[in-house]
Amino acid sequence: MLQISYIRENKDKVIAGLQKKHFKELNLVDEIIALDESRRSLQSNSESIAAEANSSAKQIGDLMRQGKKEEAEAIKAKTSGFKAQLKEFGDELVRVEQDLHDKLVQLPNLPHESVPTGVSADDNEVVLEHGDIPNLGEHALPHWELAAKYKLIDFELGTKIAGAGFPVYTGKGARLQRGLINFFLDEAIKAGYEEVQVPHAVNEASAYATGQLPDKEGQMYHVTNDDMYLIPTAEVPVTNLYRDEIVKEEQFPIKHCAYTPCFRREAGSYGAHVRGLNRLHQFDKVETVQIVHPDKSYDTLEEMSTYVQSLLQKLELPYRVLRLCSGDMSFGSALTYDMETYSTAQERWLEVSSVSNFETFQSNRLKVRFRNEDGKMTLAHTLNGSALALPRIVATLLENNQTEKGIRIPAVLVPYVGFEYID
């Protein structure tokens, strides 16, 4: 959520940023500023009346002690309406603050100045490419055929149990999943992240605090009887560990990693691009989250991007890094890098990680603050990144490493899975 003080003091810059993100409801900016003026006026009037009421109460007390009852009664009559006025102002203030909040949460985060202007994924900027794309010939199989051939994943069985998008991993497929999870966690711990195990469901306050609500309400599985949401990513519970907390500056950077299943409705997704592991309703992911000093967040973003790339290099996967354009960014992000691996059999790039800097957008909702060197209460910056999401990693590992002997396992994973080939 954008800070109201920033909107008030930088109206033109805010509008320009919203336009760059293709946000249409620009009238909200003027409405928010007007509501903020009303709020401040109501607060000022309430404080003036409260001060006058306190002064009058003291004066009445002094007169009563001096035996000047008539004078005291006269002042009391004069101030009899203060209580009703304060209630009226208080009720109106509650209404205005709620209206202000409801409008503020509709505004997306403003894009960083380095974000390229664009409308869709076609306008994303390729920052770098790494590795050679294997030449497997025209007989290369897509991962869903490899999964069936080697009995790694049963998509039909998952559909019977739950529905499309809930695969069942079997045999070496299940061991590959477990091995990847442990590998990603071990690497994150080596990189200084503290592992946490968190709930796989969150309450409304937690989903709101990280920006899933109200923006992504239709994409989450909602447990209506308990008003809980299945997590779309570990980012939600992990970042909420620090909701309503005042942290110490010397704690920075706060670094956590967590493995969780992730649940996403993926409403409206259909077609060839969702086949197999390309898009699922339940999938496994290791997430990394950092809470940092505002002066360090963009250095941290580069560090997190480099870290994810190191995982892809160790897995021997060709990849590229994209800087997302303004039209392809998430609601809450100020700057996002996507990492994509190349699917040789499908002949296209698949997103396997997003690393984002939210600046104060989440921390303003979370109320994650610290006292700076001047003693002033300041919002921290939050960042997160997939490190990594498993489905498309598995897809490209299977497709890019298929040989006549079987599917070769990258050397770094062999100790985790216990075999060199899937055959």
Side-chain angles (χ1 to χ4, degrees):
M1 185 168 66
L2 298 179
Q3 294 175 265
I4 184 61
S5 59
Y6 185 85
I7 297 173
R8 185 173 63 243
E9 296 164 11
N10 301 275
K11 176 183 172 182
D12 291 344
K13 190 173 182 180
V14 169
I15 290 176
L18 293 175
Q19 287 175 323
K20 187 174 182 179
K21 253 192 172 181
H22 306 287
F23 183 73
K24 304 299 184 184
E25 305 297 326
L26 297 177
N27 58 298
L28 281 175
V29 176
D30 284 327
E31 293 174 13
I32 285 168
I33 291 172
L35 284 168
D36 181 52
E37 290 174 353
S38 296
R39 176 182 63 85
R40 290 191 292 160
S41 177
L42 286 166
Q43 286 178 331
S44 178
N45 290 336
S46 295
E47 290 167 2
S48 295
I49 292 173
E52 191 174 347
N54 290 336
S55 176
S56 297
K58 183 178 183 300
Q59 192 176 1
I60 290 167
D62 291 342
L63 290 170
M64 292 294 285
R65 282 190 293 272
Q66 296 169 22
K68 300 177 181 179
K69 186 176 179 181
E70 289 185 6
E71 292 181 44
E73 290 296 332
I75 295 174
K76 190 181 294 186
K78 181 181 175 182
T79 61
S80 61
F82 283 170
K83 186 174 181 180
Q85 283 182 287
L86 283 172
K87 185 180 185 307
E88 182 181 343
F89 279 130
D91 291 344
E92 181 64 8
L93 184 60
V94 169
R95 186 195 68 77
V96 169
E97 286 181 334
Q98 185 61 54
D99 197 8
L100 177 61
H101 175 271
D102 290 345
K103 285 179 166 54
L104 274 172
V105 297
Q106 296 178 50
L107 298 183
N109 201 0
L110 304 178
H112 186 262
E113 60 184 12
S114 68
V115 170
T117 300
V119 177
S120 68
D122 293 335
D123 302 313
N124 292 337
E125 175 189 345
V126 179
V127 177
L128 64 86
E129 292 189 19
H130 182 276
D132 298 321
I133 295 172
N135 182 11
L136 300 180
E138 59 184 21
H139 299 297
L141 298 177
H143 67 270
W144 53 85
E145 292 187 24
L146 292 168
K149 178 179 179 180
Y150 294 104
K151 298 181 180 179
L152 305 175
I153 307 168
D154 195 322
F155 293 102
E156 292 182 3
L157 188 56
T159 300
K160 181 182 80 170
I161 296 169
F166 294 89
V168 173
Y169 298 86
T170 59
K172 288 186 175 180
R175 289 167 66 184
L176 179 59
Q177 285 282 114
R178 177 160 50 90
L180 280 166
I181 292 165
N182 289 335
F183 169 64
F184 292 148
L185 285 173
D186 285 350
E187 290 295 306
I189 292 166
K190 289 177 189 175
Y193 289 91
E194 179 183 3
E195 182 181 357
V196 290
Q197 291 188 2
V198 290
H200 298 166
V202 295
N203 55 31
E204 184 177 358
S206 294
Y208 160 78
T210 47
Q212 273 64 39
L213 294 178
D215 179 56
K216 296 182 178 64
E217 185 170 11
Q219 290 296 322
M220 289 191 293
Y221 285 99
H222 188 195
V223 185
T224 53
N225 286 349
D226 302 299
D227 199 19
M228 301 278 281
Y229 293 87
L230 299 183
I231 60 170
T233 166
E235 165 203 339
V236 182
V238 174
T239 313
N240 269 280
L241 294 173
Y242 295 90
R243 175 155 50 94
D244 297 321
E245 294 287 331
I246 298 174
V247 300
K248 295 180 179 178
E249 188 172 355
E250 53 265 31
Q251 289 179 259
F252 294 142
I254 296 169
K255 302 172 67 173
H256 288 300
C257 66
Y259 155 69
T260 65
C262 303
F263 304 89
R264 300 183 185 181
R265 293 187 62 240
E266 298 290 2
S269 296
Y270 58 90
H273 71 286
V274 303
R275 192 169 181 183
L277 296 171
N278 289 343
R279 195 174 296 275
L280 301 175
H281 294 305
Q282 178 182 327
F283 62 93
D284 293 315
K285 179 157 68 82
V286 172
E287 185 79 358
T288 54
V289 171
Q290 292 206 40
I291 300 174
V292 303
H293 192 286
D295 293 344
K296 303 291 186 182
S297 66
Y298 280 96
D299 288 340
T300 301
L301 181 65
E302 297 301 324
E303 169 210 310
M304 293 177 76
S305 171
T306 300
Y307 170 68
V308 172
Q309 292 177 56
S310 75
L311 298 177
L312 297 173
Q313 291 169 18
K314 290 175 181 178
L315 291 174
E316 305 170 37
L317 289 171
Y319 68 88
R320 68 179 184 179
V321 180
L322 306 177
R323 182 184 285 110
L324 297 195
C325 73
S326 57
D328 198 34
M329 294 171 63
S330 73
F331 183 80
S333 174
L335 177 60
T336 296
Y337 290 120
D338 270 7
M339 284 69 172
E340 298 180 334
T341 58
Y342 192 78
S343 165
T344 306
Q346 298 179 75
E347 298 183 334
R348 66 191 187 95
W349 293 96
L350 301 177
E351 178 199 332
V352 293
S353 176
S354 282
V355 181
S356 299
N357 187 353
F358 294 88
E359 296 185 354
T360 62
F361 192 82
Q362 287 183 333
S363 59
N364 192 27
R365 294 179 175 220
L366 291 153
K367 303 304 175 193
V368 181
R369 298 156 292 167
F370 69 100
R371 291 190 185 277
N372 64 19
E373 58 185 12
D374 298 323
K376 182 181 178 182
M377 201 67 77
T378 306
L379 290 171
H381 279 195
T382 65
L383 304 94
N384 64 61
S386 312
L388 287 157
L390 269 68
R392 295 171 188 168
I393 288 290
V394 170
T396 50
L397 280 175
L398 296 180
E399 292 181 6
N400 294 358
N401 291 295
Q402 55 186 300
T403 71
E404 292 182 1
K405 186 177 178 181
I407 299 171
R408 183 184 65 84
I409 298 298
V412 74
L413 285 182
V414 172
Y416 287 92
V417 299
F419 47 84
E420 296 181 355
Y421 279 87
I422 296 173
D423 51 22

